[in-house]
Amino acid sequence: MAENSQSRSSRKSGRRRGGRSRQRKVVAAPAFIKRQIPFYEFLGEEGLNKLEDQAEWIIQEIGLEFRDDPNALEIWKSAGADVKGTRVRLDRGMARELCKTAPTEFTQHSRNPAKSVRIGGSSQVFAPVYGPPFIRDIKQGRRYGTYQDFENLVKIVSQLPSLHHSGLVIVEPCDLPVSKRHLDMVYAHMKFNDKPHLGAITEKSRAQDSVDMARILHGEAFMEENCVIMGNVNTNSPLLVDRVVTEAAQVYCGANQGLIVAPFILGGAMGPVTTAASIAQAFAEAMMVGAFTQLVRSGAPFVMGNFLSSMSLRTGAPTFGMPEPVISNLIIGQLARRLGVPLRCGGSLTASKLPDAQAAYESADSMLSTSLGGANFVLHAAGWLEGGLCTGYEKLVMDADRLGAYQVMLAGLPLDDNALARDAYVEVEPGGHFLGCAHTMANYETAYYEAALSDSNNVEQWEESGSKDTAQRAYERWNQLLKDYEAPALDESKDEALKEYVAKRKDEIPDAWY
Amino acid sequence: MAENSQSRSSRKSGRRRGGRSRQRKVVAAPAFIKRQIPFYEFLGEEGLNKLEDQAEWIIQEIGLEFRDDPNALEIWKSAGADVKGTRVRLDRGMARELCKTAPTEFTQHSRNPAKSVRIGGSSQVFAPVYGPPFIRDIKQGRRYGTYQDFENLVKIVSQLPSLHHSGLVIVEPCDLPVSKRHLDMVYAHMKFNDKPHLGAITEKSRAQDSVDMARILHGEAFMEENCVIMGNVNTNSPLLVDRVVTEAAQVYCGANQGLIVAPFILGGAMGPVTTAASIAQAFAEAMMVGAFTQLVRSGAPFVMGNFLSSMSLRTGAPTFGMPEPVISNLIIGQLARRLGVPLRCGGSLTASKLPDAQAAYESADSMLSTSLGGANFVLHAAGWLEGGLCTGYEKLVMDADRLGAYQVMLAGLPLDDNALARDAYVEVEPGGHFLGCAHTMANYETAYYEAALSDSNNVEQWEESGSKDTAQRAYERWNQLLKDYEAPALDESKDEALKEYVAKRKDEIPDAWY
């Protein structure tokens, strides 16, 4: 019997059965993923050595520029770096040696301890898109993000079990002054959500506000010993590190909090057009800033980031979900493990403007390779559209639905006696069917990942329910999530103290729109 | 600088440059993929041993039913199998031993030698969807497939470089009598296309017609020594092998041609609801039929197939692109390599009715794992919708566009001096840009995979060109391909002989619609 016609008949029998009473057990989602499958070793020893050698060559022979922060140059000089003007070079091996004091893995604590996440090793943590100024949904189209959108997104993310972390700038609240919006964003994450989140980095004072607000929420003593907040910075590739990065390192790592350093390289623009060179350059940049974080405070949590994009050769526009970044996701994981630090890379990336097939193909290839590559912290795991310029309401819940599937894959394959089901073959004769057998009845509730937004009905049922495409179903889902939202309890005195802090700082800071 | 805003500015500079004269070199597509990356070893030795042990247990203790073909039972008896009625059991290890004479890899020759494909080892061959009775495009919607659709699809496939093989039933030509349509289909593949293809299997005489037509095209002597056509059959899971399979084995393998044997298991229906059991069962079924092909003719090409689908636990409907089949794609590759036979599995599978985001997410996760798993022959690699009941015109070209990306990934990462680009770092200062540097100019034409259907333009450009989604762009593309189609030359005397054969057989066979 052909796979096609068979699927039709089984669908029918399944529908009958489904009509009765099959209900899936609700299984509490874990706070983060504990990976149970092997890492995929894409490159062999020789290839990895070549990339590491190239990174050391860059650091020793070319060096990195550290601009606009004399403090940073002083720190490098004291450590014995070769500093000429703003160019910093390190002897081969020195950056790697300095990175050794960074923890291989650490916990980012949440105000709800059940939602604290482990970052590094075989743990994987997914967080939403970060940074888009625009927002899109299928009814209202594309427009600048507002604070209302931002708060909506925090509330939706708080309810998506496959997002373990809420990130920070799920969309830019463009209706708030640039100089103050970080206060509203950090407060919203603390108030409306009890997953861990990031802090601001765009100015030193904003990073400091984030850390100060975290002190109100978590307590100063606790933070001396534990990570509760992190900053996420990009180097200014190629080989340029600006004040935003070095000041964020001083504020976050100085307070024993985490710093994620992600070189963003559009191959052919901020790095060479060949993928191997871009991987090595990104590794050199991240390792160098990682070394810097350890000079600021030995033992502070550092996450090596990587963000490689390819380019359309017809137009020069960045492309996403293409095979070159897919390969880089797999290789950079190997390099991070050899360096012994947690890795941020990948995400559900796309250049598409709409939550359509292009968006999904590109996001899936990007995210499956991210998952296989072992990325420990995945920013942009859901909601990214248009090369990161736009957050999609539908895209956010669509991606999150797929993230649940990666979680199942990463849990590996059970191979115990129940999984092998020999009793079922004794019960069910060749040519029979397993639908009603004891083994099926005992296992069906947890057997398969159930994708909320995938429509697997036959075409007649699908037409009866309105012939909706994925984006339409996703629109209904995010609206339902907003309706269902309930705020997690927050200690009233802490809430008051946070509000006071925000009010005081807003009084102090002038409105600015840049 | 943030990855988001950076991408915006680079897009601008890229656009200017793109406006000038960047044209991609046309690189001739290879006839099939020579994989250069390691296999991903998802399961360790212990897990693989467990699955192999389970398969042997099934074959020895439960056995398989071989129904409606007394010849098949005679073949088994002569080989020393334990045959009771229609139940056939083999001693542990016997099926595996018999499979040893099947070639580890072989060539399926095409009438155009440049398009012959290698099946097995590190080769990977992609073929379109097989079997749907329905067809859909975004303008005309869904309807039964016709011969005109079928011929259109053969012509489109012939022009898609990432499809190496044209399969057979890209859609069912439902307007032709069931008893005769195989003649029209096989002729169309031979006439309108010079890639290798499959033959019919639904009745013994139809399989024989396919082999006889191949003899006209390729010559009898050549076929005695070489594979030019294959049949693709499904066992009737669980553990039932019907006449369609055993007769196809006798016709195809008897003529030293290939047979692909793909158990189709919807977990919870045709196999246990646990993935490990379904993998082992599929392996047992395929290995047993593989052993049978070698009893028919030692050394005949055999491809071990695998088609596992999960199930919606809400409705009992089959689901595709979910983590359980993704895992099975990775594991079954390991089992096939240990058995030493080529593997067919996976594809761009989905339950979606439309070429929308669901279709793309599910297809991408299914197909990326298929590619990583090392599947040597991938049926359904493009065009599949609705659980295999419907072929999508747009889906066909959309999937094919993504297949090109997997091809690049499978080629691995160059790590030579040019790839490491040290000269570029000497030319481009930290903080500079690589767009115009010598290394970029020398490499950009072949640096990145260019996805024809991905729109990477900025939102303004995209809106100016009509705000088209992926499916709309795909509609334009397949129509353009049809317009551009030119038939490959076919020796006139062979063409005449094929037409005569078809006419004669159509006279002999009564019209039948079942």
Side-chain angles (χ1 to χ4, degrees):
Chain A
M1 185 169 286
E3 49 232 43
N4 313 73
S5 53
Q6 184 77 323
S7 85
R8 197 164 20 168
S9 66
S10 304
R11 187 168 298 189
K12 278 187 194 144
S13 57
R15 193 166 63 222
R16 281 200 302 277
R17 176 162 291 274
R20 288 214 296 270
S21 64
R22 295 213 164 183
Q23 283 278 328
R24 191 169 171 76
K25 262 184 210 159
V26 177
V27 182
F32 59 93
I33 298 171
K34 285 299 293 177
R35 179 191 180 96
Q36 309 284 335
I37 68 174
F39 294 110
Y40 175 35
E41 304 297 340
F42 189 93
L43 275 193
E45 181 74 16
E46 191 191 349
L48 295 169
N49 287 343
K50 271 197 175 181
L51 293 177
E52 287 171 348
D53 176 65
Q54 170 92 350
E56 295 286 359
W57 174 82
I58 288 173
I59 291 171
Q60 176 166 296
E61 301 300 329
I62 308 292
L64 270 73
E65 286 286 314
F66 281 76
R67 292 193 190 150
D68 308 322
D69 184 1
N71 261 354
L73 295 173
E74 283 312 309
I75 290 171
W76 278 124
K77 276 181 200 159
S78 312
D82 167 15
V83 181
K84 292 200 175 69
T86 51
R87 186 73 60 97
V88 181
R89 293 180 179 85
L90 304 187
D91 285 347
R92 185 171 282 266
M94 179 173 166
R96 178 173 287 270
E97 187 63 30
L98 284 169
C99 283
K100 282 190 179 159
T101 57
T104 304
E105 45 184 304
F106 63 91
T107 297
Q108 183 184 353
H109 294 269
S110 182
R111 69 173 171 95
N112 175 353
K115 298 197 177 170
S116 296
V117 296
R118 193 84 182 144
I119 296 178
S122 59
S123 301
Q124 297 191 256
V125 170
F126 297 157
V129 61
Y130 183 110
F134 296 99
I135 182 94
R136 181 187 282 274
D137 73 77
I138 58 168
K139 297 280 155 96
Q140 291 191 68
R142 182 185 191 266
R143 69 270 181 195
Y144 276 104
T146 64
Y147 176 76
Q148 185 58 56
D149 290 311
F150 176 83
E151 192 178 302
N152 286 348
L153 292 165
V154 171
K155 290 175 175 174
I156 293 169
V157 166
S158 79
Q159 293 176 87
L160 294 170
S162 51
L163 288 172
H164 315 106
H165 192 284
S166 66
L168 183 68
V169 193
I170 316 183
V171 74
E172 281 283 354
C174 298
D175 52 344
L176 301 181
V178 171
S179 54
K180 297 178 175 177
R181 64 174 68 147
H182 66 286
L183 297 163
D184 297 280
M185 287 195 282
V186 171
Y187 176 74
H189 278 277
M190 290 176 165
K191 167 79 177 173
F192 298 116
N193 167 44
D194 60 356
K195 295 177 184 178
H197 59 88
L198 301 174
I201 51 93
T202 44
E203 290 277 349
K204 187 171 186 179
S205 64
R206 297 175 196 158
Q208 193 61 55
D209 283 334
S210 306
V211 169
D212 289 347
M213 289 173 74
R215 287 203 174 105
I216 294 171
L217 190 63
H218 296 276
E220 191 159 353
F222 188 78
M223 276 174 70
E224 258 310 301
E225 301 295 327
N226 295 289
C227 174
V228 302
I229 195 163
M230 300 194 293
N232 178 79
V233 293
N234 296 128
T235 53
N236 212 334
S237 304
L239 305 178
L240 174 58
V241 179
D242 63 18
R243 191 169 61 185
V244 167
V245 172
T246 50
E247 289 183 346
Q250 290 164 78
V251 172
Y252 283 96
C253 301
N256 205 26
Q257 302 304 299
L259 192 73
I260 306 164
V261 181
F264 166 56
I265 300 182
L266 168 60
M270 293 90 92
V273 78
T274 43
T275 301
S278 284
I279 292 174
Q281 179 189 320
F283 183 63
E285 293 180 10
M287 184 161 63
M288 185 92 170
V289 180
F292 181 80
T293 65
Q294 299 307 300
L295 292 173
V296 170
R297 178 155 172 169
S298 176
F302 158 66
V303 178
M304 190 180 93
N306 183 281
F307 195 99
L308 291 187
S309 150
S310 48
M311 186 194 274
S312 163
L313 300 161
R314 288 172 297 190
T315 65
T319 54
F320 298 91
M322 293 301 155
E324 299 82 11
V326 161
I327 286 175
S328 78
N329 283 335
L330 296 169
I331 292 175
I332 198 77
Q334 298 182 272
L335 293 172
R337 289 190 290 279
R338 283 158 67 107
L339 185 59
V341 297
L343 170 72
R344 177 204 144 188
C345 76
S348 295
L349 309 179
T350 180
S352 183
K353 273 55 73 182
L354 300 174
D356 66 348
Q358 177 189 343
Y361 279 120
E362 293 176 351
S363 295
D365 282 347
S366 177
M367 193 62 216
L368 178 50
S369 58
T370 300
S371 299
L372 287 175
N376 302 111
F377 182 78
V378 185
L379 209 54
H380 313 312
W384 162 294
L385 281 176
E386 210 188 291
L389 290 179
C390 190
T391 297
Y393 272 103
E394 290 82 20
K395 182 76 169 15
L396 179 70
V397 294
M398 285 160 52
D399 286 337
D401 198 33
R402 298 303 301 175
L403 295 181
Y406 302 129
Q407 188 144 335
V408 171
M409 178 191 72
L410 292 165
L413 185 72
L415 282 164
D416 56 8
D417 287 349
N418 178 61
L420 293 173
R422 290 196 178 179
D423 52 332
Y425 292 101
V426 176
E427 185 180 344
V428 178
E429 286 285 296
H433 70 81
F434 290 82
L435 275 167
C437 83
H439 178 267
T440 302
M441 298 314 288
N443 286 281
Y444 74 85
E445 290 177 323
T446 53
Y448 297 124
Y449 179 64
E450 189 84 71
L453 290 174
S454 277
D455 186 303
S456 306
N457 287 330
N458 65 31
V459 73
E460 293 81 11
Q461 294 170 306
W462 171 76
E463 285 172 352
E464 277 163 31
S465 30
S467 301
K468 290 172 195 156
D469 71 8
T470 319
Q472 289 170 296
R473 296 193 295 273
Y475 177 86
E476 291 170 8
R477 177 149 165 75
W478 70 260
N479 276 282
Q480 188 61 47
L481 285 170
L482 266 186
K483 209 183 279 180
D484 294 347
Y485 174 77
E486 287 176 37
L490 173 60
D491 181 290
E492 265 184 47
S493 64
K494 286 181 181 174
D495 194 12
E496 283 310 310
L498 286 168
K499 282 186 199 157
E500 262 173 50
Y501 183 93
V502 169
K504 179 173 120 321
R505 290 291 292 143
K506 283 191 173 177
D507 276 349
E508 291 165 4
I509 303 169
D511 279 7
W513 292 91
Y514 49 87
Chain B
M1 185 171 287
E3 50 231 44
N4 313 73
S5 53
Q6 184 77 323
S7 86
R8 199 163 18 168
S9 66
S10 304
R11 188 167 300 188
K12 279 185 196 143
S13 57
R15 193 167 62 223
R16 281 198 304 276
R17 176 161 291 274
R20 289 213 296 270
S21 64
R22 294 213 165 184
Q23 282 279 328
R24 190 168 171 74
K25 262 184 209 157
V26 177
V27 181
F32 59 93
I33 298 171
K34 286 300 292 179
R35 179 193 179 95
Q36 308 285 337
I37 67 174
F39 294 110
Y40 175 36
E41 304 297 338
F42 189 93
L43 276 193
E45 183 73 16
E46 191 191 349
L48 294 169
N49 287 342
K50 270 197 176 181
L51 292 177
E52 287 171 347
D53 176 66
Q54 170 92 349
E56 294 287 358
W57 174 82
I58 288 173
I59 291 171
Q60 175 167 297
E61 301 299 328
I62 308 291
L64 270 73
E65 286 286 314
F66 280 77
R67 291 193 191 149
D68 308 321
D69 184 1
N71 263 354
L73 295 173
E74 283 311 310
I75 290 171
W76 278 124
K77 277 181 201 160
S78 310
D82 167 15
V83 181
K84 292 200 174 68
T86 51
R87 185 74 60 97
V88 180
R89 294 180 178 84
L90 304 186
D91 284 349
R92 184 171 282 265
M94 179 175 166
R96 178 172 287 268
E97 188 61 29
L98 284 168
C99 283
K100 283 189 178 159
T101 57
T104 304
E105 45 184 304
F106 62 92
T107 297
Q108 183 183 354
H109 294 268
S110 182
R111 69 172 173 95
N112 175 354
K115 298 197 177 170
S116 296
V117 296
R118 192 85 182 144
I119 296 178
S122 59
S123 301
Q124 298 192 253
V125 171
F126 297 156
V129 61
Y130 184 111
F134 296 99
I135 182 93
R136 180 187 283 273
D137 73 77
I138 59 168
K139 296 281 154 94
Q140 291 191 68
R142 182 186 191 264
R143 69 272 181 193
Y144 275 104
T146 64
Y147 176 77
Q148 186 58 57
D149 290 311
F150 176 83
E151 193 179 301
N152 287 347
L153 292 164
V154 170
K155 290 174 174 173
I156 294 169
V157 166
S158 79
Q159 295 176 86
L160 294 170
S162 51
L163 288 172
H164 315 106
H165 192 284
S166 67
L168 183 68
V169 193
I170 315 182
V171 74
E172 281 283 354
C174 297
D175 52 345
L176 300 182
V178 172
S179 54
K180 298 179 175 177
R181 64 175 68 146
H182 66 287
L183 297 162
D184 297 281
M185 287 195 282
V186 171
Y187 176 74
H189 278 278
M190 290 175 165
K191 169 77 177 173
F192 297 116
N193 167 46
D194 61 355
K195 295 177 184 179
H197 58 87
L198 302 174
I201 50 95
T202 44
E203 291 275 351
K204 187 171 186 180
S205 64
R206 298 174 195 158
Q208 192 61 56
D209 282 335
S210 306
V211 170
D212 289 347
M213 289 172 75
R215 286 203 175 105
I216 294 171
L217 191 63
H218 297 275
E220 191 158 354
F222 188 78
M223 277 174 69
E224 257 311 300
E225 301 295 326
N226 296 287
C227 174
V228 302
I229 196 163
M230 301 194 293
N232 178 78
V233 292
N234 296 129
T235 54
N236 212 333
S237 304
L239 305 179
L240 174 59
V241 179
D242 62 19
R243 191 169 61 185
V244 167
V245 172
T246 50
E247 288 182 349
Q250 290 164 78
V251 172
Y252 283 95
C253 300
N256 205 26
Q257 302 304 298
L259 193 71
I260 306 164
V261 181
F264 166 55
I265 300 182
L266 167 60
M270 292 91 91
V273 77
T274 44
T275 301
S278 284
I279 293 173
Q281 179 189 320
F283 184 64
E285 293 180 11
M287 184 162 63
M288 185 92 171
V289 180
F292 181 80
T293 65
Q294 298 307 299
L295 292 173
V296 169
R297 178 156 173 168
S298 177
F302 157 65
V303 178
M304 190 180 92
N306 183 280
F307 195 100
L308 292 186
S309 149
S310 48
M311 187 194 273
S312 162
L313 301 160
R314 287 173 296 192
T315 65
T319 55
F320 298 91
M322 294 300 156
E324 299 82 11
V326 161
I327 287 175
S328 78
N329 284 336
L330 297 168
I331 293 175
I332 199 76
Q334 298 183 273
L335 293 172
R337 288 190 291 280
R338 282 158 68 107
L339 186 60
V341 297
L343 169 72
R344 177 206 143 186
C345 75
S348 295
L349 310 179
T350 180
S352 183
K353 272 57 72 183
L354 300 174
D356 67 347
Q358 178 189 345
Y361 279 120
E362 293 176 351
S363 294
D365 282 347
S366 177
M367 193 62 216
L368 179 50
S369 58
T370 299
S371 299
L372 287 175
N376 302 111
F377 182 79
V378 185
L379 209 54
H380 312 312
W384 163 294
L385 281 176
E386 211 188 291
L389 290 179
C390 191
T391 297
Y393 273 103
E394 291 82 18
K395 181 78 169 14
L396 179 71
V397 295
M398 284 160 52
D399 286 337
D401 198 34
R402 299 304 301 174
L403 295 181
Y406 302 130
Q407 188 144 336
V408 171
M409 178 190 73
L410 291 166
L413 184 73
L415 282 164
D416 55 8
D417 287 350
N418 178 61
L420 292 173
R422 290 195 179 179
D423 53 332
Y425 292 102
V426 176
E427 184 179 347
V428 179
E429 286 285 296
H433 71 82
F434 290 81
L435 275 168
C437 82
H439 179 267
T440 301
M441 297 315 288
N443 286 279
Y444 75 85
E445 289 178 322
T446 54
Y448 297 124
Y449 178 63
E450 189 83 72
L453 290 174
S454 277
D455 185 303
S456 305
N457 288 329
N458 65 30
V459 74
E460 293 81 10
Q461 293 170 306
W462 172 76
E463 285 171 353
E464 277 162 31
S465 30
S467 301
K468 289 172 196 156
D469 70 8
T470 318
Q472 289 170 296
R473 296 193 296 272
Y475 177 86
E476 291 170 8
R477 178 149 163 75
W478 70 259
N479 276 282
Q480 189 61 46
L481 286 170
L482 266 186
K483 211 183 280 180
D484 295 346
Y485 173 77
E486 285 176 40
L490 174 61
D491 182 290
E492 265 186 45
S493 63
K494 285 182 181 171
D495 194 11
E496 283 310 310
L498 285 169
K499 281 186 201 158
E500 263 172 50
Y501 183 93
V502 168
K504 178 174 119 325
R505 289 291 291 143
K506 282 192 174 176
D507 276 349
E508 291 165 4
I509 303 169
D511 278 9
W513 292 91
Y514 48 87

